[in-house]
PDB file of all heavy atoms in Angstrom:
ATOM      1  N   ALA A 703      91.603 -31.684  -4.489  1.00  0.00           N
ATOM      2  CA  ALA A 703      90.520 -31.883  -5.512  1.00  0.00           C
ATOM      3  C   ALA A 703      90.876 -33.023  -6.427  1.00  0.00           C
ATOM      4  O   ALA A 703      92.016 -33.051  -6.961  1.00  0.00           O
ATOM      5  CB  ALA A 703      90.316 -30.540  -6.358  1.00  0.00           C
ATOM      6  N   GLU A 704      89.989 -33.914  -6.601  1.00  0.00           N
ATOM      7  CA  GLU A 704      90.220 -35.062  -7.532  1.00  0.00           C
ATOM      8  C   GLU A 704      89.254 -34.838  -8.657  1.00  0.00           C
ATOM      9  O   GLU A 704      88.056 -34.654  -8.471  1.00  0.00           O
ATOM     10  CB  GLU A 704      89.857 -36.329  -6.697  1.00  0.00           C
ATOM     11  CG  GLU A 704      90.081 -37.647  -7.420  1.00  0.00           C
ATOM     12  CD  GLU A 704      89.608 -38.784  -6.626  1.00  0.00           C
ATOM     13  OE1 GLU A 704      88.538 -38.671  -5.965  1.00  0.00           O
ATOM     14  OE2 GLU A 704      90.244 -39.782  -6.628  1.00  0.00           O
ATOM     15  N   VAL A 705      89.812 -34.863  -9.858  1.00  0.00           N
ATOM     16  CA  VAL A 705      89.012 -34.569 -11.096  1.00  0.00           C
ATOM     17  C   VAL A 705      89.091 -35.761 -12.034  1.00  0.00           C
ATOM     18  O   VAL A 705      90.227 -36.139 -12.412  1.00  0.00           O
ATOM     19  CB  VAL A 705      89.494 -33.279 -11.758  1.00  0.00           C
ATOM     20  CG1 VAL A 705      88.473 -32.884 -12.796  1.00  0.00           C
ATOM     21  CG2 VAL A 705      89.656 -32.151 -10.745  1.00  0.00           C
ATOM     22  N   PHE A 706      87.909 -36.305 -12.432  1.00  0.00           N
ATOM     23  CA  PHE A 706      87.946 -37.438 -13.400  1.00  0.00           C
ATOM     24  C   PHE A 706      87.203 -36.954 -14.694  1.00  0.00           C
ATOM     25  O   PHE A 706      86.325 -36.133 -14.668  1.00  0.00           O
ATOM     26  CB  PHE A 706      87.009 -38.562 -12.831  1.00  0.00           C
ATOM     27  CG  PHE A 706      87.585 -39.312 -11.720  1.00  0.00           C
ATOM     28  CD1 PHE A 706      86.966 -39.337 -10.498  1.00  0.00           C
ATOM     29  CD2 PHE A 706      88.822 -40.006 -11.854  1.00  0.00           C
ATOM     30  CE1 PHE A 706      87.501 -40.036  -9.440  1.00  0.00           C
ATOM     31  CE2 PHE A 706      89.313 -40.729 -10.819  1.00  0.00           C
ATOM     32  CZ  PHE A 706      88.651 -40.729  -9.611  1.00  0.00           C
ATOM     33  N   LEU A 707      87.662 -37.653 -15.719  1.00  0.00           N
ATOM     34  CA  LEU A 707      86.967 -37.509 -17.012  1.00  0.00           C
ATOM     35  C   LEU A 707      86.681 -36.030 -17.335  1.00  0.00           C
ATOM     36  O   LEU A 707      85.522 -35.599 -17.564  1.00  0.00           O
ATOM     37  CB  LEU A 707      85.563 -38.235 -16.962  1.00  0.00           C
ATOM     38  CG  LEU A 707      85.634 -39.712 -16.608  1.00  0.00           C
ATOM     39  CD1 LEU A 707      84.220 -40.208 -16.458  1.00  0.00           C
ATOM     40  CD2 LEU A 707      86.336 -40.453 -17.683  1.00  0.00           C
ATOM     41  N   SER A 708      87.712 -35.256 -17.361  1.00  0.00           N
ATOM     42  CA  SER A 708      87.563 -33.870 -17.688  1.00  0.00           C
ATOM     43  C   SER A 708      88.856 -33.289 -18.283  1.00  0.00           C
ATOM     44  O   SER A 708      89.823 -33.915 -18.238  1.00  0.00           O
ATOM     45  CB  SER A 708      87.143 -33.055 -16.403  1.00  0.00           C
ATOM     46  OG  SER A 708      88.176 -32.158 -16.051  1.00  0.00           O
ATOM     47  N   GLU A 709      88.638 -32.154 -18.936  1.00  0.00           N
ATOM     48  CA  GLU A 709      89.804 -31.565 -19.647  1.00  0.00           C
ATOM     49  C   GLU A 709      90.777 -30.792 -18.691  1.00  0.00           C
ATOM     50  O   GLU A 709      91.698 -30.234 -19.060  1.00  0.00           O
ATOM     51  CB  GLU A 709      89.281 -30.583 -20.678  1.00  0.00           C
ATOM     52  CG  GLU A 709      88.613 -29.298 -20.045  1.00  0.00           C
ATOM     53  CD  GLU A 709      87.414 -28.763 -20.735  1.00  0.00           C
ATOM     54  OE1 GLU A 709      86.675 -29.547 -21.389  1.00  0.00           O
ATOM     55  OE2 GLU A 709      87.189 -27.524 -20.599  1.00  0.00           O
ATOM     56  N   ILE A 710      90.382 -30.726 -17.366  1.00  0.00           N
ATOM     57  CA  ILE A 710      91.180 -29.964 -16.446  1.00  0.00           C
ATOM     58  C   ILE A 710      92.606 -30.516 -16.237  1.00  0.00           C
ATOM     59  O   ILE A 710      92.774 -31.683 -15.879  1.00  0.00           O
ATOM     60  CB  ILE A 710      90.432 -29.759 -15.063  1.00  0.00           C
ATOM     61  CG1 ILE A 710      89.165 -29.004 -15.407  1.00  0.00           C
ATOM     62  CG2 ILE A 710      91.232 -29.080 -14.065  1.00  0.00           C
ATOM     63  CD1 ILE A 710      87.974 -29.463 -14.579  1.00  0.00           C
ATOM     64  N   THR A 711      93.570 -29.636 -16.432  1.00  0.00           N
ATOM     65  CA  THR A 711      94.970 -30.197 -16.253  1.00  0.00           C
ATOM     66  C   THR A 711      95.376 -30.046 -14.865  1.00  0.00           C
ATOM     67  O   THR A 711      94.808 -29.286 -14.055  1.00  0.00           O
ATOM     68  CB  THR A 711      95.972 -29.335 -17.171  1.00  0.00           C
ATOM     69  OG1 THR A 711      95.875 -27.974 -16.642  1.00  0.00           O
ATOM     70  CG2 THR A 711      95.591 -29.383 -18.662  1.00  0.00           C
ATOM     71  N   ALA A 712      96.502 -30.685 -14.568  1.00  0.00           N
ATOM     72  CA  ALA A 712      97.055 -30.596 -13.126  1.00  0.00           C
ATOM     73  C   ALA A 712      97.510 -29.162 -12.845  1.00  0.00           C
ATOM     74  O   ALA A 712      97.275 -28.675 -11.704  1.00  0.00           O
ATOM     75  CB  ALA A 712      98.329 -31.517 -13.020  1.00  0.00           C
ATOM     76  N   LYS A 713      97.971 -28.429 -13.837  1.00  0.00           N
ATOM     77  CA  LYS A 713      98.427 -27.075 -13.614  1.00  0.00           C
ATOM     78  C   LYS A 713      97.208 -26.227 -13.335  1.00  0.00           C
ATOM     79  O   LYS A 713      97.205 -25.368 -12.400  1.00  0.00           O
ATOM     80  CB  LYS A 713      99.090 -26.575 -14.925  1.00  0.00           C
ATOM     81  CG  LYS A 713      99.626 -25.166 -14.829  1.00  0.00           C
ATOM     82  CD  LYS A 713     100.402 -24.823 -16.092  1.00  0.00           C
ATOM     83  CE  LYS A 713     100.778 -23.369 -16.060  1.00  0.00           C
ATOM     84  NZ  LYS A 713     101.628 -23.003 -17.212  1.00  0.00           N
ATOM     85  N   GLU A 714      96.154 -26.412 -14.082  1.00  0.00           N
ATOM     86  CA  GLU A 714      94.944 -25.605 -13.869  1.00  0.00           C
ATOM     87  C   GLU A 714      94.359 -25.917 -12.508  1.00  0.00           C
ATOM     88  O   GLU A 714      94.002 -24.921 -11.745  1.00  0.00           O
ATOM     89  CB  GLU A 714      93.929 -25.990 -15.010  1.00  0.00           C
ATOM     90  CG  GLU A 714      92.775 -25.129 -15.173  1.00  0.00           C
ATOM     91  CD  GLU A 714      91.934 -25.598 -16.354  1.00  0.00           C
ATOM     92  OE1 GLU A 714      92.309 -26.572 -17.020  1.00  0.00           O
ATOM     93  OE2 GLU A 714      90.773 -25.059 -16.409  1.00  0.00           O
ATOM     94  N   CYS A 715      94.304 -27.168 -12.171  1.00  0.00           N
ATOM     95  CA  CYS A 715      93.705 -27.541 -10.900  1.00  0.00           C
ATOM     96  C   CYS A 715      94.564 -26.954  -9.737  1.00  0.00           C
ATOM     97  O   CYS A 715      94.009 -26.355  -8.809  1.00  0.00           O
ATOM     98  CB  CYS A 715      93.694 -29.122 -10.777  1.00  0.00           C
ATOM     99  SG  CYS A 715      92.940 -29.682  -9.287  1.00  0.00           S
ATOM    100  N   ASN A 716      95.895 -27.005  -9.828  1.00  0.00           N
ATOM    101  CA  ASN A 716      96.769 -26.431  -8.784  1.00  0.00           C
ATOM    102  C   ASN A 716      96.496 -24.935  -8.693  1.00  0.00           C
ATOM    103  O   ASN A 716      96.332 -24.398  -7.537  1.00  0.00           O
ATOM    104  CB  ASN A 716      98.193 -26.727  -9.191  1.00  0.00           C
ATOM    105  CG  ASN A 716      99.172 -26.307  -8.164  1.00  0.00           C
ATOM    106  OD1 ASN A 716      99.139 -26.862  -7.010  1.00  0.00           O
ATOM    107  ND2 ASN A 716     100.049 -25.385  -8.433  1.00  0.00           N
ATOM    108  N   ARG A 717      96.462 -24.273  -9.767  1.00  0.00           N
ATOM    109  CA  ARG A 717      96.285 -22.781  -9.835  1.00  0.00           C
ATOM    110  C   ARG A 717      94.955 -22.396  -9.194  1.00  0.00           C
ATOM    111  O   ARG A 717      94.882 -21.485  -8.378  1.00  0.00           O
ATOM    112  CB  ARG A 717      96.329 -22.303 -11.227  1.00  0.00           C
ATOM    113  CG  ARG A 717      96.548 -20.812 -11.385  1.00  0.00           C
ATOM    114  CD  ARG A 717      96.593 -20.495 -12.909  1.00  0.00           C
ATOM    115  NE  ARG A 717      95.269 -20.807 -13.560  1.00  0.00           N
ATOM    116  CZ  ARG A 717      95.211 -21.455 -14.710  1.00  0.00           C
ATOM    117  NH1 ARG A 717      96.293 -21.881 -15.292  1.00  0.00           N
ATOM    118  NH2 ARG A 717      94.007 -21.726 -15.252  1.00  0.00           N
ATOM    119  N   ILE A 718      93.902 -23.182  -9.524  1.00  0.00           N
ATOM    120  CA  ILE A 718      92.616 -22.902  -8.948  1.00  0.00           C
ATOM    121  C   ILE A 718      92.598 -23.094  -7.446  1.00  0.00           C
ATOM    122  O   ILE A 718      92.025 -22.393  -6.730  1.00  0.00           O
ATOM    123  CB  ILE A 718      91.489 -23.672  -9.767  1.00  0.00           C
ATOM    124  CG1 ILE A 718      91.326 -23.078 -11.149  1.00  0.00           C
ATOM    125  CG2 ILE A 718      90.192 -23.696  -8.955  1.00  0.00           C
ATOM    126  CD1 ILE A 718      90.451 -23.878 -12.033  1.00  0.00           C
ATOM    127  N   MET A 719      93.186 -24.177  -7.035  1.00  0.00           N
ATOM    128  CA  MET A 719      93.210 -24.492  -5.554  1.00  0.00           C
ATOM    129  C   MET A 719      93.915 -23.340  -4.844  1.00  0.00           C
ATOM    130  O   MET A 719      93.463 -22.848  -3.759  1.00  0.00           O
ATOM    131  CB  MET A 719      93.796 -25.790  -5.247  1.00  0.00           C
ATOM    132  CG  MET A 719      93.068 -26.995  -5.832  1.00  0.00           C
ATOM    133  SD  MET A 719      91.268 -26.973  -5.670  1.00  0.00           S
ATOM    134  CE  MET A 719      90.979 -27.264  -4.003  1.00  0.00           C
ATOM    135  N   PHE A 720      95.020 -22.899  -5.294  1.00  0.00           N
ATOM    136  CA  PHE A 720      95.669 -21.767  -4.642  1.00  0.00           C
ATOM    137  C   PHE A 720      94.854 -20.520  -4.765  1.00  0.00           C
ATOM    138  O   PHE A 720      94.840 -19.720  -3.800  1.00  0.00           O
ATOM    139  CB  PHE A 720      97.078 -21.499  -5.311  1.00  0.00           C
ATOM    140  CG  PHE A 720      98.147 -22.405  -4.627  1.00  0.00           C
ATOM    141  CD1 PHE A 720      98.542 -23.610  -5.181  1.00  0.00           C
ATOM    142  CD2 PHE A 720      98.705 -22.007  -3.457  1.00  0.00           C
ATOM    143  CE1 PHE A 720      99.478 -24.451  -4.584  1.00  0.00           C
ATOM    144  CE2 PHE A 720      99.673 -22.804  -2.846  1.00  0.00           C
ATOM    145  CZ  PHE A 720     100.030 -23.950  -3.438  1.00  0.00           C
ATOM    146  N   GLY A 721      94.129 -20.380  -5.856  1.00  0.00           N
ATOM    147  CA  GLY A 721      93.290 -19.144  -6.036  1.00  0.00           C
ATOM    148  C   GLY A 721      92.138 -19.169  -5.010  1.00  0.00           C
ATOM    149  O   GLY A 721      91.857 -18.169  -4.429  1.00  0.00           O
ATOM    150  N   ILE A 722      91.615 -20.356  -4.750  1.00  0.00           N
ATOM    151  CA  ILE A 722      90.501 -20.530  -3.732  1.00  0.00           C
ATOM    152  C   ILE A 722      91.039 -20.156  -2.378  1.00  0.00           C
ATOM    153  O   ILE A 722      90.391 -19.456  -1.569  1.00  0.00           O
ATOM    154  CB  ILE A 722      89.909 -21.967  -3.792  1.00  0.00           C
ATOM    155  CG1 ILE A 722      89.230 -22.151  -5.154  1.00  0.00           C
ATOM    156  CG2 ILE A 722      88.969 -22.131  -2.620  1.00  0.00           C
ATOM    157  CD1 ILE A 722      88.807 -23.622  -5.335  1.00  0.00           C
ATOM    158  N   LEU A 723      92.195 -20.647  -2.046  1.00  0.00           N
ATOM    159  CA  LEU A 723      92.802 -20.335  -0.722  1.00  0.00           C
ATOM    160  C   LEU A 723      92.931 -18.823  -0.530  1.00  0.00           C
ATOM    161  O   LEU A 723      92.650 -18.242   0.464  1.00  0.00           O
ATOM    162  CB  LEU A 723      94.082 -21.043  -0.487  1.00  0.00           C
ATOM    163  CG  LEU A 723      93.990 -22.585  -0.390  1.00  0.00           C
ATOM    164  CD1 LEU A 723      95.415 -23.238  -0.369  1.00  0.00           C
ATOM    165  CD2 LEU A 723      93.194 -23.072   0.799  1.00  0.00           C
ATOM    166  N   GLN A 724      93.446 -18.200  -1.612  1.00  0.00           N
ATOM    167  CA  GLN A 724      93.682 -16.746  -1.557  1.00  0.00           C
ATOM    168  C   GLN A 724      92.311 -16.012  -1.451  1.00  0.00           C
ATOM    169  O   GLN A 724      92.166 -15.133  -0.657  1.00  0.00           O
ATOM    170  CB  GLN A 724      94.515 -16.275  -2.734  1.00  0.00           C
ATOM    171  CG  GLN A 724      94.696 -14.762  -2.769  1.00  0.00           C
ATOM    172  CD  GLN A 724      96.102 -14.314  -3.041  1.00  0.00           C
ATOM    173  OE1 GLN A 724      97.032 -15.087  -3.084  1.00  0.00           O
ATOM    174  NE2 GLN A 724      96.254 -12.986  -3.316  1.00  0.00           N
ATOM    175  N   ALA A 725      91.371 -16.359  -2.281  1.00  0.00           N
ATOM    176  CA  ALA A 725      90.060 -15.710  -2.236  1.00  0.00           C
ATOM    177  C   ALA A 725      89.320 -15.907  -0.915  1.00  0.00           C
ATOM    178  O   ALA A 725      88.575 -15.045  -0.534  1.00  0.00           O
ATOM    179  CB  ALA A 725      89.246 -16.237  -3.446  1.00  0.00           C
ATOM    180  N   SER A 726      89.644 -17.062  -0.202  1.00  0.00           N
ATOM    181  CA  SER A 726      89.043 -17.273   1.078  1.00  0.00           C
ATOM    182  C   SER A 726      89.870 -16.605   2.132  1.00  0.00           C
ATOM    183  O   SER A 726      89.581 -16.640   3.370  1.00  0.00           O
ATOM    184  CB  SER A 726      88.979 -18.762   1.354  1.00  0.00           C
ATOM    185  OG  SER A 726      88.425 -19.417   0.280  1.00  0.00           O
ATOM    186  N   ARG A 727      90.986 -15.942   1.761  1.00  0.00           N
ATOM    187  CA  ARG A 727      91.871 -15.215   2.625  1.00  0.00           C
ATOM    188  C   ARG A 727      92.486 -16.089   3.747  1.00  0.00           C
ATOM    189  O   ARG A 727      92.720 -15.648   4.836  1.00  0.00           O
ATOM    190  CB  ARG A 727      91.084 -14.045   3.318  1.00  0.00           C
ATOM    191  CG  ARG A 727      90.647 -13.083   2.219  1.00  0.00           C
ATOM    192  CD  ARG A 727      89.875 -11.980   2.813  1.00  0.00           C
ATOM    193  NE  ARG A 727      90.755 -10.916   3.349  1.00  0.00           N
ATOM    194  CZ  ARG A 727      91.142  -9.792   2.718  1.00  0.00           C
ATOM    195  NH1 ARG A 727      90.808  -9.613   1.590  1.00  0.00           N
ATOM    196  NH2 ARG A 727      91.896  -8.936   3.401  1.00  0.00           N
ATOM    197  N   VAL A 728      92.882 -17.294   3.356  1.00  0.00           N
ATOM    198  CA  VAL A 728      93.530 -18.149   4.297  1.00  0.00           C
ATOM    199  C   VAL A 728      94.980 -18.503   3.914  1.00  0.00           C
ATOM    200  O   VAL A 728      95.703 -19.056   4.686  1.00  0.00           O
ATOM    201  CB  VAL A 728      92.721 -19.483   4.543  1.00  0.00           C
ATOM    202  CG1 VAL A 728      91.460 -19.210   5.273  1.00  0.00           C
ATOM    203  CG2 VAL A 728      92.471 -20.219   3.320  1.00  0.00           C
ATOM    204  N   ARG A 729      95.334 -18.205   2.669  1.00  0.00           N
ATOM    205  CA  ARG A 729      96.698 -18.484   2.151  1.00  0.00           C
ATOM    206  C   ARG A 729      97.048 -17.595   1.061  1.00  0.00           C
ATOM    207  O   ARG A 729      96.265 -17.616   0.015  1.00  0.00           O
ATOM    208  CB  ARG A 729      96.909 -19.911   1.873  1.00  0.00           C
ATOM    209  CG  ARG A 729      98.377 -20.235   1.396  1.00  0.00           C
ATOM    210  CD  ARG A 729      98.599 -21.740   1.257  1.00  0.00           C
ATOM    211  NE  ARG A 729      99.966 -21.949   0.845  1.00  0.00           N
ATOM    212  CZ  ARG A 729     100.499 -23.161   0.698  1.00  0.00           C
ATOM    213  NH1 ARG A 729      99.767 -24.278   1.011  1.00  0.00           N
ATOM    214  NH2 ARG A 729     101.747 -23.337   0.288  1.00  0.00           N
ATOM    215  N   THR A 730      98.070 -16.752   1.117  1.00  0.00           N
ATOM    216  CA  THR A 730      98.366 -15.825   0.030  1.00  0.00           C
ATOM    217  C   THR A 730      99.488 -16.385  -0.688  1.00  0.00           C
ATOM    218  O   THR A 730     100.563 -16.699  -0.160  1.00  0.00           O
ATOM    219  CB  THR A 730      98.749 -14.441   0.712  1.00  0.00           C
ATOM    220  OG1 THR A 730      97.714 -14.060   1.565  1.00  0.00           O
ATOM    221  CG2 THR A 730      99.068 -13.400  -0.317  1.00  0.00           C
ATOM    222  N   SER A 731      99.320 -16.420  -2.022  1.00  0.00           N
ATOM    223  CA  SER A 731     100.392 -16.869  -2.888  1.00  0.00           C
ATOM    224  C   SER A 731     100.680 -15.959  -4.069  1.00  0.00           C
ATOM    225  O   SER A 731     101.547 -16.179  -4.843  1.00  0.00           O
ATOM    226  CB  SER A 731     100.074 -18.275  -3.411  1.00  0.00           C
ATOM    227  OG  SER A 731      98.837 -18.258  -4.016  1.00  0.00           O
ATOM    228  N   LYS A 732      99.932 -14.910  -4.169  1.00  0.00           N
ATOM    229  CA  LYS A 732     100.200 -13.998  -5.292  1.00  0.00           C
ATOM    230  C   LYS A 732      99.653 -12.560  -4.963  1.00  0.00           C
ATOM    231  O   LYS A 732      99.168 -12.338  -3.914  1.00  0.00           O
ATOM    232  CB  LYS A 732      99.425 -14.477  -6.533  1.00  0.00           C
ATOM    233  CG  LYS A 732      97.952 -14.774  -6.330  1.00  0.00           C
ATOM    234  CD  LYS A 732      97.410 -15.557  -7.539  1.00  0.00           C
ATOM    235  CE  LYS A 732      96.069 -16.074  -7.245  1.00  0.00           C
ATOM    236  NZ  LYS A 732      95.397 -16.730  -8.414  1.00  0.00           N
ATOM    237  N   THR A 733      99.883 -11.684  -5.881  1.00  0.00           N
ATOM    238  CA  THR A 733      99.391 -10.287  -5.720  1.00  0.00           C
ATOM    239  C   THR A 733      97.853 -10.319  -5.643  1.00  0.00           C
ATOM    240  O   THR A 733      97.220 -11.065  -6.387  1.00  0.00           O
ATOM    241  CB  THR A 733      99.892  -9.403  -6.897  1.00  0.00           C
ATOM    242  OG1 THR A 733     101.175  -9.810  -7.260  1.00  0.00           O
ATOM    243  CG2 THR A 733      99.819  -7.972  -6.612  1.00  0.00           C
ATOM    244  N   GLU A 734      97.319  -9.463  -4.884  1.00  0.00           N
ATOM    245  CA  GLU A 734      95.842  -9.349  -4.823  1.00  0.00           C
ATOM    246  C   GLU A 734      95.427  -8.099  -5.582  1.00  0.00           C
ATOM    247  O   GLU A 734      95.876  -7.090  -5.214  1.00  0.00           O
ATOM    248  CB  GLU A 734      95.372  -9.404  -3.406  1.00  0.00           C
ATOM    249  CG  GLU A 734      93.882  -9.202  -3.245  1.00  0.00           C
ATOM    250  CD  GLU A 734      93.172 -10.326  -2.538  1.00  0.00           C
ATOM    251  OE1 GLU A 734      93.899 -11.194  -2.065  1.00  0.00           O
ATOM    252  OE2 GLU A 734      91.974 -10.148  -2.370  1.00  0.00           O
ATOM    253  N   TYR A 735      94.512  -8.200  -6.513  1.00  0.00           N
ATOM    254  CA  TYR A 735      93.991  -7.106  -7.199  1.00  0.00           C
ATOM    255  C   TYR A 735      92.539  -6.841  -6.772  1.00  0.00           C
ATOM    256  O   TYR A 735      91.746  -7.696  -6.820  1.00  0.00           O
ATOM    257  CB  TYR A 735      94.062  -7.265  -8.719  1.00  0.00           C
ATOM    258  CG  TYR A 735      95.523  -7.433  -9.206  1.00  0.00           C
ATOM    259  CD1 TYR A 735      96.066  -8.639  -9.438  1.00  0.00           C
ATOM    260  CD2 TYR A 735      96.351  -6.302  -9.345  1.00  0.00           C
ATOM    261  CE1 TYR A 735      97.364  -8.837  -9.736  1.00  0.00           C
ATOM    262  CE2 TYR A 735      97.645  -6.503  -9.725  1.00  0.00           C
ATOM    263  CZ  TYR A 735      98.176  -7.733  -9.908  1.00  0.00           C
ATOM    264  OH  TYR A 735      99.502  -7.958 -10.256  1.00  0.00           O
ATOM    265  N   ILE A 736      92.301  -5.588  -6.371  1.00  0.00           N
ATOM    266  CA  ILE A 736      90.916  -5.200  -5.993  1.00  0.00           C
ATOM    267  C   ILE A 736      90.515  -4.199  -7.101  1.00  0.00           C
ATOM    268  O   ILE A 736      90.901  -3.025  -7.034  1.00  0.00           O
ATOM    269  CB  ILE A 736      90.982  -4.559  -4.607  1.00  0.00           C
ATOM    270  CG1 ILE A 736      91.430  -5.580  -3.600  1.00  0.00           C
ATOM    271  CG2 ILE A 736      89.568  -3.963  -4.240  1.00  0.00           C
ATOM    272  CD1 ILE A 736      91.940  -4.964  -2.308  1.00  0.00           C
ATOM    273  N   ALA A 737      89.902  -4.718  -8.128  1.00  0.00           N
ATOM    274  CA  ALA A 737      89.538  -3.841  -9.267  1.00  0.00           C
ATOM    275  C   ALA A 737      88.081  -3.647  -9.360  1.00  0.00           C
ATOM    276  O   ALA A 737      87.322  -4.540  -9.239  1.00  0.00           O
ATOM    277  CB  ALA A 737      90.123  -4.538 -10.576  1.00  0.00           C
ATOM    278  N   CYS A 738      87.633  -2.385  -9.507  1.00  0.00           N
ATOM    279  CA  CYS A 738      86.269  -2.086  -9.575  1.00  0.00           C
ATOM    280  C   CYS A 738      85.678  -2.632 -10.892  1.00  0.00           C
ATOM    281  O   CYS A 738      86.435  -2.753 -11.875  1.00  0.00           O
ATOM    282  CB  CYS A 738      85.967  -0.580  -9.364  1.00  0.00           C
ATOM    283  SG  CYS A 738      86.149   0.426 -10.758  1.00  0.00           S
ATOM    284  N   PRO A 739      84.435  -2.898 -10.972  1.00  0.00           N
ATOM    285  CA  PRO A 739      83.912  -3.464 -12.176  1.00  0.00           C
ATOM    286  C   PRO A 739      83.760  -2.422 -13.317  1.00  0.00           C
ATOM    287  O   PRO A 739      83.480  -2.848 -14.465  1.00  0.00           O
ATOM    288  CB  PRO A 739      82.531  -3.967 -11.773  1.00  0.00           C
ATOM    289  CG  PRO A 739      82.170  -3.173 -10.630  1.00  0.00           C
ATOM    290  CD  PRO A 739      83.414  -2.781  -9.890  1.00  0.00           C
ATOM    291  N   SER A 740      83.934  -1.140 -13.004  1.00  0.00           N
ATOM    292  CA  SER A 740      83.684  -0.057 -13.918  1.00  0.00           C
ATOM    293  C   SER A 740      82.259   0.271 -14.128  1.00  0.00           C
ATOM    294  O   SER A 740      81.394  -0.601 -13.814  1.00  0.00           O
ATOM    295  CB  SER A 740      84.468  -0.153 -15.204  1.00  0.00           C
ATOM    296  OG  SER A 740      83.646  -0.800 -16.192  1.00  0.00           O
TER     297      SER A 740
END
Side-chain angles (χ1 to χ4, degrees):
E704 182 184 40
V705 189
F706 288 119
L707 306 172
S708 113
E709 70 216 27
I710 294 143
T711 62
K713 181 175 177 179
E714 195 179 352
C715 184
N716 187 61
R717 194 181 63 229
I718 288 172
M719 297 318 284
F720 274 95
I722 293 170
L723 294 174
Q724 176 134 349
S726 309
R727 297 179 80 95
V728 293
R729 179 170 180 174
T730 303
S731 53
K732 51 188 170 179
T733 321
E734 174 122 3
Y735 298 98
I736 298 160
C738 83
S740 90

